[in-house]
């Protein structure tokens, strides 16, 4: 029996009953989002369902569920749990009930699809052998959750995997699987900058050292980092996502705060950008006559995420055999960031991480034809982000299950 035949037989378990259960789970998760390291309700539901399927589990606000099924490879399947501090505006009947918190990045899809794969694999133990580690990771949005699970003794408790597999729903047509071998996701540095001036009455600016002007000059100067300090063949992104200063129109404040998000693809470019940012911040403070040095602190970081080329070839070949190779695309390196690679680098094993389409194909095609894709297709982290349940969930379950079977061994009684 070929691996393709095995996958088909296992996927036959994705019947109407399981699909309906997964859709109900997805709507429940979407309606009850929780922020990073606060995923208590989500983790409890994950643990309960994992036990019901026969998986052993450990975890904090993350959960690791293990299913041992004879000799063979150990496959780590990863989904992330946390939501974002975003007020939902989708208008869905199952929209967030947690004010100011939303699954705006699709982690509810990831959890649901992993449960679907777990159910299929648990129900077809006579078709494969090996060990499945289902990792439900907290705090991906902080870039801290993967390392926290590793540091909590993941491999000592559950064994070292032979491969790490996972997926992320994106605003591409449902049914599409996009995977880029090699450098796949950018490194991120999130910084907070405090710039100090001297407050005064708005009618007497000469008595002040205005931190608002100082910060504004810094923001504008930041725009030259990529355009004037990074070679055209390299890539980097510098975004000032927040600027906060003052409380009232007639008061010049004494402090301004900026939050920056920096994306880079090589260690050398990262060093260049971080050095330029610090130089500009300190230079603008000096130019403004600040009497106190600015403070620069790191909010969080994400490492580069590199997809193993051989692992991607093996995994995508298996998925393509089931869903159709015409549905596989290479999106190139993403400017997004992911900490899933920590599971691979910490164990020195390959990672294959792909993108899962979540947009109605007809809606996407119409927006593409009209040239309005950026306007009409909400992207991840948008308050309007809402993957379609059908066929996103079943496609995600299919991809994750098939990928796992590509690495797990055949059943011990198989010829």
């Amino acid at each position: 029996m070929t691996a393709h035949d095995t996958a088909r037989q296992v996927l036959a378990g994705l019947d109407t009953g399981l699909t309906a259960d997964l859709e109900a789970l997805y709507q429940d998760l979407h309606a009850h989002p929780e922020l990073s390291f606060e995923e208590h309700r989500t983790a409890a539901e994950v643990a309960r369902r994992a036990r019901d399927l026969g998986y052993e589990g450990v975890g904090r606000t993350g959960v690791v569920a293990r299913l041992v099924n004879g000799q063979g490879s150990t496959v780590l399947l990863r989904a992330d749990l946390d939501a974002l501090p975003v007020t939902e505006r989708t208008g869905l009947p199952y929209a967030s009930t947690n004010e100011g918190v939303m699954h705006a990045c699709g982690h509810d899809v990831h959890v649901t699809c992993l449960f679907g794969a777990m159910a299929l694999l648990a129900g077809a133990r006579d078709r494969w052998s090996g060990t499945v580690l289902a990792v439900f990771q907290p705090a991906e949005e902080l870039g801290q959750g993967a390392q926290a699970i590793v540091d909590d003794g993941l491999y000592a408790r559950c064994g070292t995997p032979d491969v790490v597999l996972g997926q992320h729903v994106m605003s591409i047509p449902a049914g599409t699987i996009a995977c880029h071998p090699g450098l796949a996701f950018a490194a991120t540095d999130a910084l907070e900058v405090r710039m100090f001036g001297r407050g005064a009455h708005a009618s007497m600016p000469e008595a002040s050292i205005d931190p608002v002007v100082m910060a504004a000059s810094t923001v504008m100067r930041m725009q030259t980092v990529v355009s004037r300090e990074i070679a055209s063949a390299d890539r980097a992104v510098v975004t000032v996502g927040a600027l906060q200063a003052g409380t009232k129109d007639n008061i010049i404040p004494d402090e301004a705060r900026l939050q920056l998000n920096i994306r880079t693809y090589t260690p050398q470019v990262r060093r260049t950008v971080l050095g330029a940012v610090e130089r500009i911040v300190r230079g603008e403070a000096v130019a403004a006559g600040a009497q106190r040095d600015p403070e620069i602190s790191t909010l969080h970081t994400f490492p580069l995420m590199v997809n193993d080329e051989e692992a991607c070839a093996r995994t995508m070949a298996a998925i393509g055999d089931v869903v159709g190779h015409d549905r596989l695309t290479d999106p190139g390196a993403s400017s997004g960031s992911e900490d899933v690679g920590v599971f691979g680098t910490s164990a020195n094993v390959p990672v294959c991480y792909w993108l899962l389409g979540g947009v109605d194909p007809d809606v996407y095609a119409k927006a593409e034809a009209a040239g309005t894709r950026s306007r009409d297709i909400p992207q991840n982290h948008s308050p309007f982000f809402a993957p379609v349940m059908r066929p996103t969930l079943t496609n995600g379950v299919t991809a994750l299950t098939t990928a796992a079977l590509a690495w797990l061994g055949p059943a011990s009684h198989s010829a």
Side-chain angles (χ1 to χ4, degrees), residues 41-52 55 57 63 65 115 136:
R41 181 187 185 277
T42 307
E45 179 66 11
V46 165
R48 181 188 68 79
R49 284 175 169 261
R51 284 192 298 269
D52 289 346
Y55 287 74
V63 175
F115 261 116
F136 295 87

Side-chain angles (χ1 to χ4, degrees), residues 172 176-180 316 327-331 353-357:
I172 55 178
T176 300
I177 303 291
C179 182
H180 180 67
M316 289 301 113
R327 293 191 175 187
L328 305 182
T329 65
D330 185 337
Y353 194 72
W354 61 90
L355 305 180
L356 173 70

Side-chain angles (χ1 to χ4, degrees), residues 359 363-364 366-368 370-379 384:
V359 179
V363 172
Y364 189 95
K366 290 177 182 178
E368 185 82 1
T372 58
R373 180 165 55 87
S374 61
R375 185 192 70 193
D376 295 341
I377 306 296
Q379 301 298 310
F384 298 100

Side-chain angles (χ1 to χ4, degrees), residues 101-134:
V101 182
M102 176 194 174
H103 270 299
C105 203
H107 296 184
D108 45 355
V109 172
H110 307 165
V111 173
T112 303
C113 291
L114 180 48
F115 261 116
M118 289 170 65
L120 292 179
L121 292 169
R125 277 173 268 199
D126 59 337
R127 302 290 179 184
W128 59 273
S129 62
T131 298
V132 176
L133 290 182

